[in-house]
Amino acid sequence: MNTFLGFGREHIERHYRKTGQCVYLHLKRHLRQKVPGASGGALPKRRNAKLFLDLEISSDLNSDDFEYEDEAKLVIFPDHYEISLPNIEELPALVTIACDALLSAKSPYRKQEPDSWEEELQASKHAKTLVQLDNGVRIPPSGWKCSKCDLRENLWLNLSDGSVLCGKWFFDGSGGNGHAVEHYRDTGYPLAVKLGTITPDGADVYSFDEEEPVLDPHIAKHLAHFGIDMLQMQVTDNGLRDNDIKPRVSEWEVIQEAGVKLKPMYGPGYTGMKNLGNSCYLNAVMQAIFSIPEFQRAYVGNLPRIFDYSPLDPTQDFNTQMAKLGHGLLSGQYSKPPMKSELIEQVMKEEHKPQHNGISPRMFKAFISKGHPEFSSNRQQDAQEFFLHLINLVERNPVGSENPSDVFRFLVEERTQCCQSRKVRYTDRVDYIMQLPVAMEAATNKDELIAYELKRREAEAARRPLPDLVRAKIPFSACLQAFSEPSNVEDFWSSALQAKSAGVKTSRFASFPEYLVVQIKKFTFGLDWIPKKLDVSIDMPDFLDITHLRARGLQPGEEELPDIAPPIVIPDDPKALDIDESSVMQLAEMGFPLEACRKAVYYTGNLGAEVAFNWIIAHMEEPDFAEPLVIPAFGEVSSSGAAALGAVGLDNQPPEEMVAIIISMGFQRNVAIQALKATNNNLERALEWIFSHPDPEEESDPALDTMDMENNANANILAETGSEGPRIKDGPGRYELFGFISHMGTSTMSGHYVCHLRKEGRWVIYNDLRVCASERPPKDLGYIYFYHRIPS
């Protein structure tokens, strides 16, 4: 038996012809509008509210204005014979039981409904009278460890004496040795805050005495006692917090174009998306993605073919969900203008149908975030991290011969030079985003910034309203210059000296992508523990020329570093293996979970943040992605451990972890295996080997062929593979801006995202369900920018 909600008959017939299954359960939902002031009277005529899969209308069906009833029928194909339910007399008992089970089951979007309501926490009875010891304890911003064991995750700070101890059975489900609760039993100190959850908006606080998570209204003061500044919020005479008094030109007002009358837009390509509770990051990214012709062709253009090849459960198929979402955004069926004034009388007579304005991507979000510790939650996320997560899924689920993510992929040439021997090494890596640092030192209004900071401090001290905001004005040219300048290589090992030495690295474009995605690195970590955002204005150009950043390769007179791998140092205690904390922090600043960053750096052998980043992209879907790092003892079977140390198996079969990393960069599986075997499973040398062997020898291995078939079993339409190596679309380095995503708020863990796109010669703002013509696009306040190549 199959269930369908609002599918067109042609889709069901196609499913019947494909599978031969003839019994279907058809569900319809009928809307009925209440008569104002009526009580128990006749209701208006029923209207069928059909849904296209889960593309729900933006109207709230649970509102006070509407009631609804569900109608269920069994449909027998090919004669379309219908049996209304319930019908105990005509149906066998097993069929009746199956129908009841299906009707009582929750759909993917209904399953998420309870999750959108967070438990309302109560203020702890200990918060107001909490005793804090004056013992001089100061908590550093990083490097925490349980004071009674070696755990570095799931750590809790006791707010009475500053002890840092591991948890056990707390409400977030994390594990530990229970030292925090033991400490409470010994001392009676009741409140603890979880390290890593502290933001300007609050923190996770647990009361051992009350045995539940609680609110601490005085959390800022309690943390400041131990040297943790969470941007304390002082109460003014009018009851508002100082930072609740928005400047006249706040980031929120400018980005959302508040105070300006915006004209709503309707039709194909102007469909809004409902915010499911902190899902604006997903909405903004998907609006930008489906404004790109390659993605439109791949999914919406191939919609009939994708549906024909979809599995029996389309809710678990990536391509089906992408095609469905793209259809909802581009068809115009869910973006219709309101009824004209002459139809008001008909509206009052309730002869109209509700307007389909906007879609609700519940099923898409449920699938794409499945198994991901962050995206599966209802917390705010980083749009840049979600963009990379989406690209990873596109790569793993090919649709036809054209991979739409190819338009973003480019090669970066990294030139590393040993400062002592002056010898160089050139390596290439795959990337999808150009990350531009914010050159704060190049601000053109430094005097204004200094004066504003003085006035702001005076206003805070006197509890007066804050002065008008003054943003740092950063020239785009300064950010581009900072991107191109050499950077120091931490812990550089020189193969020329056979020892550690000082090294510098310069990055250039070995190829230019069809679509250039530019991220402004506004988010950073301060010494006060808080992930901060730099509130800056950057004069992003409409036309961008980065031709001068084209890589040139080995130059005359340059001498290459010898191709010698650093020696493998096996420590006496494998669990004492060092992890490059600088690389960990670089990854954490991108928004990835801290423990996942530590695992990425460890399993890639401390080869740097770039290699570890590729490991993260390849492993984001794993259920233990953000779990604490467990380092196995030597001798244990662990492909990850082998990958970390470059160990060689008995049959020289490369570790699957390392193969996955190379595949995630866009290379074929057989190329990855061949390169690792040729370089003794050294990941860095394997990448160099691939680029120095553009035509590797073909290698036929039945076991590998079988594994490839298994890996492709979940792909509905196999992609036609071309030449080996990463697929790139190189061309001129001249671009034009066509869209940008902006973020409002103090960190990636809070705030709101909005997307602006240039369509049909004008800018359009996509603010969840609201789609309007933009009057003042805030191009200087964006976070992620989208450029397309200008044809030569």
Side-chain angles (χ1 to χ4, degrees):
M1 184 184 299
N2 301 276
T3 307
F4 63 99
L5 296 86
F7 279 80
R9 174 169 289 187
E10 66 276 7
H11 294 113
I12 307 305
E13 290 180 343
R14 184 182 299 150
H15 188 271
Y16 163 69
R17 292 194 301 269
K18 175 182 175 181
T19 65
Q21 299 178 6
C22 58
V23 182
Y24 292 82
L25 178 62
H26 187 193
L27 304 180
K28 285 184 179 179
R29 173 158 292 180
H30 299 281
L31 277 182
R32 300 187 301 181
Q33 188 172 18
K34 297 178 181 179
V35 177
S39 177
L43 289 169
K45 180 181 177 181
R46 297 191 309 175
R47 293 182 296 276
N48 183 12
K50 287 188 176 181
L51 308 180
F52 178 81
L53 296 183
D54 74 325
L55 298 177
E56 303 133 50
I57 59 177
S58 61
S59 302
D60 185 358
L61 301 186
N62 296 319
S63 70
D64 295 333
D65 298 329
F66 293 94
E67 291 183 344
Y68 64 86
E69 66 177 23
D70 291 333
E71 178 185 7
K73 295 180 181 180
L74 272 187
V75 183
I76 312 299
F77 276 71
D79 298 326
H80 303 283
Y81 181 72
E82 296 184 353
I83 303 174
S84 298
L85 297 176
N87 194 328
I88 302 176
E89 293 79 9
E90 297 184 32
L91 296 176
L94 289 178
V95 176
T96 301
I97 294 172
C99 291
D100 290 342
L102 287 172
L103 291 172
S104 62
K106 288 186 177 181
S107 66
Y109 61 88
R110 287 177 60 190
K111 287 179 181 178
Q112 284 197 345
E113 279 298 334
D115 297 336
S116 64
W117 298 91
E118 296 185 3
E119 179 184 1
E120 185 176 353
L121 303 181
Q122 300 297 321
S124 171
K125 63 182 181 182
H126 300 288
K128 187 174 182 180
T129 59
L130 183 70
V131 176
Q132 292 188 285
L133 304 184
D134 189 12
N135 52 11
V137 173
R138 290 294 179 268
I139 305 299
S142 61
W144 327 301
K145 187 176 74 71
C146 176
S147 60
K148 293 187 178 180
C149 67
D150 294 328
L151 287 183
R152 295 180 177 271
E153 297 301 322
N154 187 29
L155 300 179
W156 294 76
L157 170 67
N158 190 288
L159 291 176
S160 290
D161 63 357
S163 299
V164 176
L165 300 159
C166 62
K168 186 175 183 180
W169 47 268
F170 295 126
F171 66 98
D172 66 348
S174 301
N177 296 320
H179 290 137
V181 68
E182 289 180 6
H183 184 70
Y184 160 70
R185 292 173 184 152
D186 294 339
T187 63
Y189 299 148
L191 298 184
V193 60
K194 187 174 184 180
L195 300 182
T197 68
I198 301 170
T199 72
D201 301 319
D204 291 348
V205 181
Y206 191 86
S207 171
F208 299 104
D209 178 51
E210 296 158 279
E211 295 187 352
E212 62 179 354
V214 296
L215 291 177
D216 180 0
H218 308 284
I219 185 64
K221 182 183 74 171
H222 292 156
L223 290 173
H225 181 81
F226 299 109
I228 302 173
D229 179 10
M230 62 170 295
L231 305 182
Q232 296 183 38
M233 307 177 213
Q234 298 176 342
V235 180
T236 59
D237 293 336
N238 59 7
L240 294 175
R241 298 174 297 182
D242 282 345
N243 57 345
D244 282 341
I245 304 173
K246 295 182 179 179
R248 295 176 187 172
V249 193
S250 75
E251 184 181 50
W252 291 77
E253 294 168 334
V254 174
I255 291 178
Q256 297 187 97
E257 303 188 50
V260 180
K261 187 175 182 179
L262 301 179
K263 177 184 177 182
M265 304 288 286
Y266 301 99
Y270 299 105
T271 304
M273 298 175 68
K274 184 178 181 180
N275 193 323
L276 307 177
N278 287 328
S279 65
C280 53
Y281 67 91
L282 180 148
N283 295 350
V285 171
M286 297 315 299
Q287 292 284 8
I289 286 293
F290 275 111
S291 71
I292 296 174
E294 284 78 1
F295 280 85
Q296 296 174 0
R297 290 197 302 268
Y299 295 105
V300 182
N302 284 327
L303 186 142
R305 183 167 177 251
I306 291 174
F307 280 11
D308 281 341
Y309 284 88
S310 65
L312 296 181
D313 185 4
T315 66
Q316 302 303 310
D317 181 63
F318 176 76
N319 292 327
T320 301
Q321 293 302 314
M322 284 287 285
K324 175 166 62 74
L325 181 66
H327 171 85
L329 293 176
L330 301 176
S331 67
Q333 295 181 17
Y334 307 94
S335 178
K336 298 180 180 180
M339 306 297 289
K340 295 182 180 180
S341 58
E342 58 263 31
L343 299 179
I344 293 179
E345 184 177 352
Q346 297 181 24
V347 173
M348 296 302 295
K349 292 180 180 179
E350 297 158 2
E351 295 177 355
H352 74 292
K353 293 183 179 180
Q355 294 299 322
H356 293 250
N357 288 329
I359 61 176
S360 179
R362 291 188 186 278
M363 192 177 293
F364 178 80
K365 183 178 186 297
F367 172 78
I368 202 171
S369 61
K370 182 177 61 177
H372 193 284
E374 295 299 328
F375 298 136
S376 60
S377 72
N378 285 318
R379 296 186 295 271
Q380 186 62 276
Q381 304 298 332
D382 188 352
Q384 178 256 4
E385 183 182 346
F386 177 76
F387 171 80
L388 293 175
H389 173 67
L390 178 72
I391 294 302
N392 182 42
L393 290 177
V394 173
E395 295 276 1
R396 293 166 53 186
N397 296 273
V399 51
S401 59
E402 181 183 11
N403 186 341
S405 65
D406 290 350
V407 299
F408 297 123
R409 189 183 301 108
F410 59 93
L411 294 178
V412 178
E413 177 193 87
E414 292 188 340
R415 176 185 182 273
T416 306
Q417 183 174 34
C418 172
C419 296
Q420 189 168 344
S421 67
R422 312 303 296 175
K423 295 182 179 181
V424 298
R425 174 181 293 120
Y426 284 87
T427 58
D428 285 356
R429 62 175 174 84
V430 173
D431 212 334
Y432 297 89
I433 294 183
M434 179 187 187
Q435 294 184 313
L436 281 186
V438 177
M440 291 296 295
E441 67 282 356
T444 59
N445 58 338
K446 293 180 180 179
D447 293 339
E448 294 180 61
L449 292 172
I450 294 174
Y452 166 75
E453 185 62 22
L454 292 175
K455 292 180 180 179
R456 186 185 66 82
R457 292 181 180 180
E458 292 175 358
E460 287 180 347
R463 291 186 165 186
R464 295 195 306 266
L466 296 179
D468 289 347
L469 177 67
V470 176
R471 286 190 183 88
K473 297 180 180 179
I474 312 296
F476 174 77
S477 57
C479 299
L480 202 60
Q481 177 65 27
F483 171 84
S484 62
E485 289 179 349
S487 59
N488 294 326
V489 179
E490 298 290 338
D491 208 25
F492 175 70
W493 188 86
S494 172
S495 58
L497 305 176
Q498 295 285 295
K500 289 185 178 182
S501 174
V504 293
K505 180 175 66 178
T506 306
S507 297
R508 292 290 185 271
F509 284 84
S511 69
F512 291 122
E514 184 77 16
Y515 288 83
L516 179 66
V517 182
V518 180
Q519 177 200 12
I520 305 299
K521 299 175 66 174
K522 291 186 174 184
F523 297 99
T524 183
F525 283 102
L527 295 177
D528 53 5
W529 282 45
I530 302 170
K532 294 182 177 180
K533 188 175 91 172
L534 303 175
D535 192 1
V536 297
S537 171
I538 300 177
D539 59 337
M540 296 296 294
D542 289 323
F543 296 92
L544 174 61
D545 190 346
I546 55 173
T547 306
H548 63 286
L549 294 179
R550 168 77 75 171
R552 297 179 298 170
L554 187 68
Q555 296 297 297
E558 290 183 334
E559 186 177 354
E560 289 189 272
L561 286 163
D563 188 14
I564 302 174
I568 299 175
V569 179
I570 302 178
D572 295 334
D573 180 7
K575 294 191 176 184
L577 187 67
D578 289 334
I579 295 179
D580 182 7
E581 293 297 336
S582 63
S583 296
V584 173
M585 293 309 297
Q586 287 183 51
L587 297 171
E589 288 178 358
M590 299 180 187
F592 298 112
L594 180 62
E595 194 55 45
C597 300
R598 298 186 72 246
K599 288 202 294 188
V601 174
Y602 170 74
Y603 284 132
T604 53
N606 287 329
L607 293 179
E610 291 83 0
V611 179
F613 172 79
N614 290 319
W615 185 95
I616 286 179
I617 296 300
H619 294 77
M620 290 178 69
E621 301 306 311
E622 297 178 0
D624 61 345
F625 174 68
E627 294 297 318
L629 170 64
V630 178
I631 303 177
F634 283 90
E636 294 181 7
V637 178
S638 172
S639 61
S640 298
L645 298 173
V648 184
L650 295 178
D651 60 352
N652 197 33
Q653 184 66 25
E656 193 61 30
E657 297 280 352
M658 303 178 76
V659 175
I661 292 174
I662 297 179
I663 292 176
S664 71
M665 301 177 185
F667 299 102
Q668 301 298 319
R669 179 180 179 82
N670 65 316
V671 176
I673 293 176
Q674 192 173 350
L676 289 168
K677 285 185 176 181
T679 56
N680 202 25
N681 292 343
N682 184 294
L683 183 59
E684 186 174 18
R685 292 174 57 204
L687 294 174
E688 297 176 9
W689 186 93
I690 290 175
F691 288 108
S692 61
H693 295 74
D695 299 312
E697 299 177 2
E698 292 295 330
E699 179 178 298
S700 179
D701 188 336
L704 294 180
D705 294 341
T706 301
M707 193 176 300
D708 286 339
M709 292 178 63
E710 293 174 353
N711 290 337
N712 290 328
N714 294 328
N716 304 308
I717 306 170
L718 300 181
E720 299 173 9
T721 57
S723 59
E724 306 293 359
R727 300 173 298 275
I728 58 174
K729 295 188 176 183
D730 197 8
R734 295 183 297 276
Y735 296 91
E736 182 178 4
L737 181 70
F738 74 92
F740 60 94
I741 294 174
S742 307
H743 174 267
M744 295 154 279
T746 56
S747 78
T748 56
M749 295 178 288
S750 62
H752 182 58
Y753 285 96
V754 167
C755 178
H756 282 76
L757 296 173
R758 187 171 180 83
K759 291 189 175 182
E760 301 177 321
R762 70 175 306 163
W763 285 97
V764 180
I765 178 173
Y766 293 80
N767 188 356
D768 290 334
L769 283 172
R770 291 188 62 210
V771 180
C772 301
S774 173
E775 298 295 334
R776 301 172 185 172
K779 290 182 285 187
D780 60 324
L781 299 181
Y783 174 46
I784 301 175
Y785 294 85
F786 294 85
Y787 286 85
H788 66 82
R789 179 156 45 216
I790 301 174
S792 56

